[in-house]
Amino acid sequence: MIDRIRTLLTGHPMIPVDFSALSDDANLYDAGLTSFASVQMMLALEEEFDIEFPEAMLTRRTFASLANIADAVSQITRKAA
Amino acid sequence: MDAKTFDSKSLLDSLFDNGILFETGVDGLYGRSGAFEEVIERFEKLVTRLGAPDKATRIHFPPGMSRATLEKSGYMKSFPQLAGCVHSFVGGEREHAQLLNMMATGEDWTELQKATDVTLTPAACYPLYPTVAARGPVPADGVLFELSSYCFRHEPSQDPARMQLFRMREFVRIGTAEQVRAFRESWLTRGKAMIEQLELPCEVDLANDPFFGRGGKMMANNQRDQGLKFELLIPVNSLEKPTACLSFNYHQDHFGQTWGLQFGDGELCHSACVGFGLERVALALFRHHGPDIEAWPKKVLAVLWGE
């Protein structure tokens, strides 16, 4: 899951962060993720996994690291199954 | 305007009935009485007096700004629903005849207009950043500006505190993170004391901007999590949902990055602003102290009319 997310986000034109150089737990905001880029990331994830993040999950914490993102995506896909 | 009614529509009607605002046929666009304008002028003088020790550079921009500047600022990413772009007719005589014909037959004639280089200014500080950037590196002490402008936001409403065209006065500080945060802190204190002097009930609360869409929810959450925006709220048309009359914003290095605002050593600048919604403050004064200025509390008059 994390690798799929990493591949998806690497090279996204609106997200200027080098995901390939980051560990799963590295803080993405520290790595230069802006508020606007985090929205682009959210939209890209929704499209890739065919999910919709509930409003309660649209927080800074949800998108703070690749591991957090993978957790959130798993939670949503589990609920949908 | 008795002190018990807190309702947008009846407040608007009472402002019309008392000749304080005048209808124009469009929600959110109103004429203002001489008394209303005088209150705004006096309040602006009060703001300038309070800020005078900081020696800000004053700039007054017009209500229209460069479209290219608005585009580069990122405004359309966050608030596309609020922006207004000026369009004008640029055709020849043939197109003019067509336009008149379309108007006469009730067709949509606006398609014969083209976007100009001008957009309406959404907040007094948007035209400032490229102006500062063009002057070269920011001095180590940072810079401070006092601005005012009519601003436009496309949000028609019968709430008189939500006008489409309104005035905003702002102080904008550009400098290090520490400098701009200290500036914001000082205005959180000064702003609250100022409104209390005017004998208006108020509270300061954490806030967020009305970012567009679901992504906007996330931007809003981020903004709140990081404590980037505070508002001073005064009940104007509702006790439950008081109106934001002043706002205190820390932009981090967002505008520094966007406009290349940096110090001589290449370090990016941070910025913060305090904004005064002039019509909103005037409405709050009329709402709480009544339609007749001469009957306002003597202390309030002394604060506004004193020098």
Side-chain angles (χ1 to χ4, degrees):
Chain A
M1 163 86 78
I2 287 190
D3 288 341
R4 189 170 159 199
I5 293 171
R6 198 189 300 275
T7 310
L8 168 72
L9 300 179
T10 301
H12 188 294
M14 310 274 266
I15 311 174
V17 173
D18 182 7
F19 291 93
S20 60
L22 291 174
S23 71
D24 296 353
D25 293 315
N27 187 300
L28 299 180
Y29 298 103
D30 292 345
L33 185 68
T34 61
S35 208
F36 180 71
S38 70
V39 171
Q40 300 305 309
M41 193 162 86
M42 184 264 286
L43 296 172
L45 290 160
E46 287 193 342
E47 192 168 323
E48 171 76 10
F49 293 96
D50 193 22
I51 54 172
E52 186 165 309
F53 287 96
E55 213 169 287
M57 288 175 97
L58 296 178
T59 63
R60 203 169 158 77
R61 193 187 158 84
T62 302
F63 301 92
S65 68
L66 288 167
N68 284 16
I69 294 170
D71 271 354
V73 172
S74 320
Q75 267 186 52
I76 299 168
T77 44
R78 249 201 325 274
K79 268 190 198 145
Chain B
M1 244 177 284
D2 75 88
K4 285 177 197 125
T5 40
F6 271 90
D7 163 78
S8 300
K9 184 69 177 76
S10 62
L11 177 61
L12 186 60
D13 284 340
S14 111
L15 290 160
F16 291 154
D17 292 347
N18 283 290
I20 294 170
L21 294 184
F22 298 86
E23 287 188 80
T24 68
V26 177
D27 287 340
L29 298 190
Y30 308 114
R32 283 95 161 135
S33 71
F36 190 88
E37 285 303 291
E38 189 159 352
V39 169
I40 289 198
E41 283 165 23
R42 289 287 155 181
F43 180 74
E44 288 197 277
K45 286 206 163 73
L46 175 63
V47 170
T48 298
R49 271 206 306 280
L50 276 174
D54 303 344
K55 298 192 167 39
T57 302
R58 217 163 115 180
I59 306 183
H60 295 255
F61 289 106
M65 62 178 277
S66 145
R67 174 154 64 97
T69 297
L70 189 85
E71 287 166 0
K72 190 170 167 185
S73 75
Y75 192 79
M76 297 306 285
K77 289 179 183 172
S78 301
F79 312 107
Q81 79 280 24
L82 300 180
C85 180
V86 176
H87 289 63
S88 287
F89 174 71
V90 291
E93 283 174 24
R94 190 181 298 270
E95 290 80 15
H96 181 220
Q98 193 187 347
L99 179 144
L100 294 179
N101 188 42
M102 287 168 101
M103 282 180 107
T105 55
E107 280 179 76
D108 179 11
W109 57 273
T110 56
E111 66 181 57
L112 289 175
Q113 293 198 317
K114 281 217 164 73
T116 66
D117 291 340
V118 178
T119 57
L120 297 175
T121 306
C125 63
Y126 275 84
L128 175 70
Y129 304 104
T131 308
V132 176
R135 304 199 310 190
V138 171
D141 294 346
V143 285
L144 176 69
F145 294 90
E146 180 174 2
L147 311 171
S148 87
S149 175
Y150 252 102
C151 298
F152 173 83
R153 290 184 191 172
H154 178 245
E155 39 184 1
S157 160
Q158 294 199 332
D159 174 358
R162 191 164 293 286
M163 294 188 188
Q164 295 201 68
L165 274 160
F166 56 94
R167 272 160 293 180
M168 189 188 287
R169 199 161 187 100
E170 271 191 73
F171 286 104
V172 182
R173 181 85 166 101
I174 299 170
T176 64
E178 293 73 27
Q179 286 164 350
V180 309
R181 292 174 81 137
F183 157 84
R184 189 175 72 152
E185 283 305 309
S186 86
W187 271 109
L188 275 162
T189 311
R190 278 190 272 184
K192 187 152 192 294
M194 174 176 65
I195 296 301
E196 283 168 351
Q197 270 195 309
L198 297 174
E199 299 188 8
L200 295 171
C202 67
E203 56 176 353
V204 171
D205 203 0
L206 189 62
N208 61 263
D209 285 307
F211 296 109
F212 180 74
R214 287 183 61 246
K217 284 268 178 336
M218 195 158 132
M219 304 269 282
N221 287 335
N222 283 350
Q223 196 179 25
R224 281 181 171 267
D225 281 354
Q226 298 177 88
L228 300 180
K229 186 182 189 74
F230 289 90
E231 288 174 342
L232 181 141
L233 306 161
I234 307 175
V236 175
N237 51 44
S238 155
L239 286 171
E240 295 75 35
K241 288 189 178 166
T243 298
C245 294
L246 274 61
S247 76
F248 311 87
N249 307 289
Y250 172 35
H251 315 129
Q252 298 171 308
D253 60 3
H254 172 73
F255 290 115
Q257 278 190 27
T258 305
W259 293 106
L261 293 168
Q262 51 191 39
F263 295 106
D265 63 3
E267 187 76 18
L268 276 182
C269 293
H270 286 229
S271 59
C273 68
V274 49
F276 303 83
L278 300 180
E279 279 78 2
R280 287 183 169 186
V281 171
L283 288 169
L285 284 162
F286 281 106
R287 176 69 192 74
H288 288 273
H289 301 324
D292 178 10
I293 297 176
E294 287 179 16
W296 286 8
K298 291 219 160 31
K299 272 160 66 184
V300 173
L301 293 177
V303 171
L304 285 172
W305 268 262
E307 291 301 331

mmCIF file of all heavy atoms in Angstrom, chain B residues 223-250:
data_model
loop_
_atom_site.group_PDB
_atom_site.id
_atom_site.type_symbol
_atom_site.label_atom_id
_atom_site.label_comp_id
_atom_site.label_asym_id
_atom_site.label_seq_id
_atom_site.Cartn_x
_atom_site.Cartn_y
_atom_site.Cartn_z
ATOM 1 N N GLN B 223 -5.452 25.433 8.711
ATOM 2 C CA GLN B 223 -5.308 26.807 9.191
ATOM 3 C C GLN B 223 -5.625 26.894 10.695
ATOM 4 O O GLN B 223 -4.918 27.546 11.453
ATOM 5 C CB GLN B 223 -6.275 27.691 8.396
ATOM 6 C CG GLN B 223 -6.003 29.174 8.496
ATOM 7 C CD GLN B 223 -6.990 29.986 7.669
ATOM 8 O OE1 GLN B 223 -8.118 29.539 7.406
ATOM 9 N NE2 GLN B 223 -6.586 31.157 7.242
ATOM 10 N N ARG B 224 -6.680 26.170 11.088
ATOM 11 C CA ARG B 224 -7.068 26.175 12.511
ATOM 12 C C ARG B 224 -6.028 25.446 13.361
ATOM 13 O O ARG B 224 -5.637 25.929 14.421
ATOM 14 C CB ARG B 224 -8.425 25.500 12.699
ATOM 15 C CG ARG B 224 -9.569 26.404 12.332
ATOM 16 C CD ARG B 224 -10.915 25.723 12.540
ATOM 17 N NE ARG B 224 -11.964 26.701 12.366
ATOM 18 C CZ ARG B 224 -12.516 27.412 13.354
ATOM 19 N NH1 ARG B 224 -12.139 27.221 14.597
ATOM 20 N NH2 ARG B 224 -13.431 28.312 13.097
ATOM 21 N N ASP B 225 -5.594 24.254 12.864
ATOM 22 C CA ASP B 225 -4.603 23.458 13.619
ATOM 23 C C ASP B 225 -3.363 24.285 13.933
ATOM 24 O O ASP B 225 -2.737 24.114 14.965
ATOM 25 C CB ASP B 225 -4.155 22.244 12.806
ATOM 26 C CG ASP B 225 -5.175 21.127 12.873
ATOM 27 O OD1 ASP B 225 -6.147 21.279 13.633
ATOM 28 O OD2 ASP B 225 -4.995 20.119 12.171
ATOM 29 N N GLN B 226 -2.990 25.139 12.986
ATOM 30 C CA GLN B 226 -1.747 25.893 13.148
ATOM 31 C C GLN B 226 -1.961 27.266 13.772
ATOM 32 O O GLN B 226 -1.007 28.037 13.915
ATOM 33 C CB GLN B 226 -1.065 26.043 11.787
ATOM 34 C CG GLN B 226 -0.673 24.697 11.183
ATOM 35 C CD GLN B 226 -0.060 24.885 9.816
ATOM 36 O OE1 GLN B 226 1.141 25.072 9.681
ATOM 37 N NE2 GLN B 226 -0.894 24.880 8.795
ATOM 38 N N GLY B 227 -3.239 27.581 14.108
ATOM 39 C CA GLY B 227 -3.528 28.874 14.748
ATOM 40 C C GLY B 227 -3.135 30.057 13.883
ATOM 41 O O GLY B 227 -2.575 31.041 14.372
ATOM 42 N N LEU B 228 -3.427 29.979 12.576
ATOM 43 C CA LEU B 228 -2.961 31.029 11.665
ATOM 44 C C LEU B 228 -3.906 32.218 11.591
ATOM 45 O O LEU B 228 -3.510 33.293 11.162
ATOM 46 C CB LEU B 228 -2.751 30.447 10.253
ATOM 47 C CG LEU B 228 -1.723 29.317 10.158
ATOM 48 C CD1 LEU B 228 -1.617 28.823 8.722
ATOM 49 C CD2 LEU B 228 -0.359 29.776 10.669
ATOM 50 N N LYS B 229 -5.187 32.003 11.964
ATOM 51 C CA LYS B 229 -6.154 33.092 11.838
ATOM 52 C C LYS B 229 -6.984 33.244 13.110
ATOM 53 O O LYS B 229 -7.511 32.262 13.627
ATOM 54 C CB LYS B 229 -7.102 32.804 10.664
ATOM 55 C CG LYS B 229 -8.055 33.939 10.344
ATOM 56 C CD LYS B 229 -8.993 33.571 9.200
ATOM 57 C CE LYS B 229 -9.794 34.771 8.744
ATOM 58 N NZ LYS B 229 -8.990 35.735 7.958
ATOM 59 N N PHE B 230 -7.066 34.486 13.582
ATOM 60 C CA PHE B 230 -7.965 34.818 14.686
ATOM 61 C C PHE B 230 -8.891 35.923 14.226
ATOM 62 O O PHE B 230 -8.517 36.725 13.371
ATOM 63 C CB PHE B 230 -7.167 35.286 15.917
ATOM 64 C CG PHE B 230 -6.419 34.177 16.591
ATOM 65 C CD1 PHE B 230 -5.121 33.870 16.211
ATOM 66 C CD2 PHE B 230 -7.026 33.422 17.584
ATOM 67 C CE1 PHE B 230 -4.427 32.823 16.813
ATOM 68 C CE2 PHE B 230 -6.342 32.391 18.199
ATOM 69 C CZ PHE B 230 -5.045 32.086 17.816
ATOM 70 N N GLU B 231 -10.092 35.925 14.780
ATOM 71 C CA GLU B 231 -11.029 36.990 14.458
ATOM 72 C C GLU B 231 -11.557 37.628 15.730
ATOM 73 O O GLU B 231 -11.740 36.942 16.741
ATOM 74 C CB GLU B 231 -12.215 36.437 13.647
ATOM 75 C CG GLU B 231 -11.837 36.074 12.234
ATOM 76 C CD GLU B 231 -12.954 35.381 11.449
ATOM 77 O OE1 GLU B 231 -13.907 34.872 12.057
ATOM 78 O OE2 GLU B 231 -12.840 35.348 10.221
ATOM 79 N N LEU B 232 -11.812 38.928 15.649
ATOM 80 C CA LEU B 232 -12.517 39.599 16.735
ATOM 81 C C LEU B 232 -13.980 39.673 16.312
ATOM 82 O O LEU B 232 -14.308 40.223 15.248
ATOM 83 C CB LEU B 232 -11.953 40.996 16.976
ATOM 84 C CG LEU B 232 -12.647 41.731 18.125
ATOM 85 C CD1 LEU B 232 -11.641 42.520 18.950
ATOM 86 C CD2 LEU B 232 -13.749 42.655 17.622
ATOM 87 N N LEU B 233 -14.843 39.065 17.126
ATOM 88 C CA LEU B 233 -16.246 38.903 16.751
ATOM 89 C C LEU B 233 -17.129 39.833 17.575
ATOM 90 O O LEU B 233 -16.948 39.958 18.789
ATOM 91 C CB LEU B 233 -16.673 37.454 17.005
ATOM 92 C CG LEU B 233 -15.791 36.394 16.329
ATOM 93 C CD1 LEU B 233 -15.978 35.039 16.990
ATOM 94 C CD2 LEU B 233 -16.116 36.295 14.849
ATOM 95 N N ILE B 234 -18.086 40.462 16.897
ATOM 96 C CA ILE B 234 -19.067 41.322 17.572
ATOM 97 C C ILE B 234 -20.449 40.865 17.101
ATOM 98 O O ILE B 234 -20.649 40.675 15.899
ATOM 99 C CB ILE B 234 -18.875 42.813 17.184
ATOM 100 C CG1 ILE B 234 -17.428 43.265 17.423
ATOM 101 C CG2 ILE B 234 -19.847 43.699 17.957
ATOM 102 C CD1 ILE B 234 -17.138 44.693 16.955
ATOM 103 N N PRO B 235 -21.405 40.668 18.015
ATOM 104 C CA PRO B 235 -22.755 40.332 17.555
ATOM 105 C C PRO B 235 -23.340 41.512 16.780
ATOM 106 O O PRO B 235 -23.400 42.619 17.313
ATOM 107 C CB PRO B 235 -23.553 40.080 18.842
ATOM 108 C CG PRO B 235 -22.595 40.209 19.971
ATOM 109 C CD PRO B 235 -21.316 40.765 19.470
ATOM 110 N N VAL B 236 -23.686 41.289 15.506
ATOM 111 C CA VAL B 236 -24.289 42.362 14.700
ATOM 112 C C VAL B 236 -25.721 41.966 14.333
ATOM 113 O O VAL B 236 -26.657 42.693 14.596
ATOM 114 C CB VAL B 236 -23.456 42.666 13.440
ATOM 115 C CG1 VAL B 236 -24.156 43.702 12.558
ATOM 116 C CG2 VAL B 236 -22.079 43.195 13.827
ATOM 117 N N ASN B 237 -25.865 40.786 13.725
ATOM 118 C CA ASN B 237 -27.224 40.355 13.372
ATOM 119 C C ASN B 237 -27.604 39.047 14.038
ATOM 120 O O ASN B 237 -28.668 38.511 13.803
ATOM 121 C CB ASN B 237 -27.351 40.214 11.854
ATOM 122 C CG ASN B 237 -26.242 39.363 11.306
ATOM 123 O OD1 ASN B 237 -25.922 38.329 11.875
ATOM 124 N ND2 ASN B 237 -25.626 39.801 10.229
ATOM 125 N N SER B 238 -26.720 38.506 14.874
ATOM 126 C CA SER B 238 -27.003 37.235 15.531
ATOM 127 C C SER B 238 -26.153 37.139 16.785
ATOM 128 O O SER B 238 -24.975 37.521 16.773
ATOM 129 C CB SER B 238 -26.675 36.091 14.567
ATOM 130 O OG SER B 238 -26.371 34.910 15.272
ATOM 131 N N LEU B 239 -26.762 36.655 17.846
ATOM 132 C CA LEU B 239 -25.995 36.460 19.075
ATOM 133 C C LEU B 239 -25.187 35.178 18.993
ATOM 134 O O LEU B 239 -24.079 35.089 19.503
ATOM 135 C CB LEU B 239 -26.944 36.387 20.284
ATOM 136 C CG LEU B 239 -27.554 37.713 20.730
ATOM 137 C CD1 LEU B 239 -28.633 37.478 21.791
ATOM 138 C CD2 LEU B 239 -26.476 38.633 21.294
ATOM 139 N N GLU B 240 -25.777 34.148 18.305
ATOM 140 C CA GLU B 240 -25.116 32.846 18.219
ATOM 141 C C GLU B 240 -23.923 32.896 17.272
ATOM 142 O O GLU B 240 -22.917 32.239 17.495
ATOM 143 C CB GLU B 240 -26.076 31.755 17.729
ATOM 144 C CG GLU B 240 -27.235 31.435 18.644
ATOM 145 C CD GLU B 240 -28.322 32.502 18.601
ATOM 146 O OE1 GLU B 240 -28.536 33.068 17.505
ATOM 147 O OE2 GLU B 240 -28.914 32.794 19.653
ATOM 148 N N LYS B 241 -24.109 33.645 16.163
ATOM 149 C CA LYS B 241 -23.024 33.730 15.183
ATOM 150 C C LYS B 241 -22.573 35.179 15.053
ATOM 151 O O LYS B 241 -22.974 35.884 14.126
ATOM 152 C CB LYS B 241 -23.500 33.214 13.820
ATOM 153 C CG LYS B 241 -23.692 31.715 13.782
ATOM 154 C CD LYS B 241 -23.944 31.258 12.359
ATOM 155 C CE LYS B 241 -24.088 29.756 12.299
ATOM 156 N NZ LYS B 241 -24.657 29.313 11.017
ATOM 157 N N PRO B 242 -21.741 35.638 15.983
ATOM 158 C CA PRO B 242 -21.290 37.024 15.905
ATOM 159 C C PRO B 242 -20.440 37.258 14.642
ATOM 160 O O PRO B 242 -19.928 36.300 14.047
ATOM 161 C CB PRO B 242 -20.468 37.201 17.183
ATOM 162 C CG PRO B 242 -20.102 35.833 17.626
ATOM 163 C CD PRO B 242 -21.165 34.918 17.118
ATOM 164 N N THR B 243 -20.317 38.514 14.252
ATOM 165 C CA THR B 243 -19.675 38.882 12.983
ATOM 166 C C THR B 243 -18.192 39.212 13.190
ATOM 167 O O THR B 243 -17.834 39.953 14.105
ATOM 168 C CB THR B 243 -20.391 40.122 12.417
ATOM 169 O OG1 THR B 243 -21.758 39.766 12.177
ATOM 170 C CG2 THR B 243 -19.761 40.583 11.114
ATOM 171 N N ALA B 244 -17.356 38.672 12.300
ATOM 172 C CA ALA B 244 -15.918 38.971 12.353
ATOM 173 C C ALA B 244 -15.698 40.402 11.886
ATOM 174 O O ALA B 244 -15.969 40.728 10.729
ATOM 175 C CB ALA B 244 -15.155 38.002 11.462
ATOM 176 N N CYS B 245 -15.231 41.274 12.763
ATOM 177 C CA CYS B 245 -15.029 42.676 12.409
ATOM 178 C C CYS B 245 -13.553 43.020 12.236
ATOM 179 O O CYS B 245 -13.195 43.936 11.522
ATOM 180 C CB CYS B 245 -15.669 43.575 13.450
ATOM 181 S SG CYS B 245 -17.473 43.407 13.461
ATOM 182 N N LEU B 246 -12.697 42.283 12.927
ATOM 183 C CA LEU B 246 -11.245 42.431 12.757
ATOM 184 C C LEU B 246 -10.690 41.028 12.535
ATOM 185 O O LEU B 246 -11.236 40.061 13.084
ATOM 186 C CB LEU B 246 -10.592 42.996 14.028
ATOM 187 C CG LEU B 246 -10.540 44.521 14.243
ATOM 188 C CD1 LEU B 246 -11.923 45.126 14.315
ATOM 189 C CD2 LEU B 246 -9.779 44.828 15.527
ATOM 190 N N SER B 247 -9.639 40.898 11.743
ATOM 191 C CA SER B 247 -9.004 39.580 11.639
ATOM 192 C C SER B 247 -7.494 39.730 11.715
ATOM 193 O O SER B 247 -6.926 40.765 11.337
ATOM 194 C CB SER B 247 -9.447 38.842 10.372
ATOM 195 O OG SER B 247 -8.802 39.360 9.250
ATOM 196 N N PHE B 248 -6.877 38.708 12.267
ATOM 197 C CA PHE B 248 -5.449 38.732 12.586
ATOM 198 C C PHE B 248 -4.840 37.486 11.931
ATOM 199 O O PHE B 248 -5.101 36.369 12.374
ATOM 200 C CB PHE B 248 -5.253 38.677 14.100
ATOM 201 C CG PHE B 248 -6.102 39.681 14.848
ATOM 202 C CD1 PHE B 248 -7.409 39.364 15.221
ATOM 203 C CD2 PHE B 248 -5.607 40.935 15.156
ATOM 204 C CE1 PHE B 248 -8.197 40.273 15.909
ATOM 205 C CE2 PHE B 248 -6.394 41.862 15.834
ATOM 206 C CZ PHE B 248 -7.692 41.538 16.220
ATOM 207 N N ASN B 249 -4.069 37.698 10.892
ATOM 208 C CA ASN B 249 -3.648 36.557 10.074
ATOM 209 C C ASN B 249 -2.140 36.428 9.989
ATOM 210 O O ASN B 249 -1.444 37.409 9.735
ATOM 211 C CB ASN B 249 -4.195 36.738 8.655
ATOM 212 C CG ASN B 249 -5.686 36.987 8.659
ATOM 213 O OD1 ASN B 249 -6.476 36.102 8.947
ATOM 214 N ND2 ASN B 249 -6.076 38.222 8.392
ATOM 215 N N TYR B 250 -1.664 35.204 10.179
ATOM 216 C CA TYR B 250 -0.238 34.905 9.993
ATOM 217 C C TYR B 250 -0.134 34.030 8.736
ATOM 218 O O TYR B 250 -0.700 32.945 8.685
ATOM 219 C CB TYR B 250 0.289 34.181 11.240
ATOM 220 C CG TYR B 250 1.697 33.652 11.118
ATOM 221 C CD1 TYR B 250 2.678 34.343 10.396
ATOM 222 C CD2 TYR B 250 2.072 32.458 11.721
ATOM 223 C CE1 TYR B 250 3.966 33.861 10.282
ATOM 224 C CE2 TYR B 250 3.361 31.961 11.633
ATOM 225 C CZ TYR B 250 4.308 32.668 10.899
ATOM 226 O OH TYR B 250 5.582 32.172 10.781
#
